[in-house]
Amino acid sequence: MEKLQAALDRARKARSDGKKTSRASVTQGGSSGGSDLEENWMQLQEISPDLAALERNRVVSQIANARATPFDILRTKIFLQMRQNNWKRLAITSPMPKSGKTTTACNLALGFGRQRDLRSMLLDLDLRDPSVSTFFNVMPERGINDVLTGELEFHEQAMRVGTNVAVSMAKQRETDPTRVLLSEEAADVIDDIEAEYQPNIMIFDLPSLLINDDTRAFLKNVDCALIVARADKTRNAQFDRTEREIAEQTNVLGVVLNAYRDGKPGQDGS
């Protein structure tokens, strides 16, 4: 285990050094200036999410109201903790499906979008069972898988909500996504996106950890992870195993206990 952790630490350091070099060259080239950075974001195709579809999927944070408050509190806690640690990349996963991880990811991304001085990204990496496009009721012409394999540039595939939220969605189910998520090519693509668009936070909607090896393959690329558990379904053993395995690869930022309200499990809640 110590050897594995040391290897992961070396890989993270190498990527971090690479990002610093890339950012330095971008700065010297002038493309990190405010106008050029804004141009990078403005070239993303703008979309207007279907509010009715968002509502059906309990995505309520695009507009400030009482229903958005729990997600706003979560957003602020996440932002402060990540900024304190100089973290930018947040994975969101769960022990098992149907726990609310994609709902949480979408609410966080749109909640961050209400902060006009922040830039957020949502990347749909639950490639075996993608649902972000369903939540937004928008289908991309090509999927995020084509970006991660280098077939498309990010600006050719990703979409923009407002001026400061970028969303890269999957188009269809992939039968073997681990070959992409585990690759160094995908890691390099993520590094390039971060360097070019300089988001304050990158949110990765990953598969549930215990159903396949996709999330395990990608966790090496993030700074921290948020676990979404469901009070009426997630078993203690499942949660313990998920927390332990994530901690072996990255930092556990915290836990969201879903479907628990007024002291009674089984009711929808955030």
Side-chain angles (χ1 to χ4, degrees), residues 9-147:
D9 289 342
R10 287 195 298 270
R12 289 195 190 102
K13 185 178 186 303
R15 284 195 298 275
S16 178
D17 291 343
K19 283 187 287 183
K20 290 177 182 177
T21 301
S22 176
R23 286 171 181 164
S25 63
V26 167
T27 300
Q28 293 168 5
S31 63
S32 67
S35 60
D36 292 326
L37 181 59
E38 182 178 352
E39 183 179 342
N40 290 342
W41 280 79
M42 288 302 103
Q43 67 179 333
L44 301 178
Q45 178 186 349
E46 184 173 12
I47 59 171
S48 297
D50 187 326
L51 293 179
L54 293 176
E55 283 280 336
R56 285 195 301 272
N57 291 285
R58 297 185 175 87
V59 179
V60 296
S61 62
Q62 192 172 15
I63 301 172
N65 54 46
R67 296 180 64 194
T69 297
F71 291 105
D72 289 347
I73 294 172
L74 179 63
R75 173 201 62 192
T76 301
K77 287 183 176 181
I78 287 173
F79 176 71
L80 293 176
Q81 189 170 344
M82 292 184 69
R83 185 176 65 175
Q84 182 179 9
N85 289 282
N86 196 29
W87 295 339
K88 295 291 182 66
R89 302 179 183 185
L90 171 66
I92 298 183
T93 185
S94 60
M96 298 297 290
K98 307 300 182 182
S99 297
K101 65 176 183 60
T102 301
T103 300
T104 301
C106 291
N107 272 295
L108 285 174
L110 295 179
F112 275 109
R114 299 201 336 261
Q115 302 298 119
R116 308 310 299 172
D117 57 337
L118 298 179
R119 295 181 295 272
S120 65
M121 287 185 172
L122 172 61
L123 295 95
D124 181 9
L125 296 186
D126 192 349
L127 299 178
R128 294 180 197 265
D129 189 22
S131 57
V132 172
S133 61
T134 301
F135 279 37
F136 281 75
N137 197 24
V138 175
M139 181 61 67
E141 292 185 7
R142 296 179 67 177
I144 188 175
N145 191 61
D146 292 330
V147 176

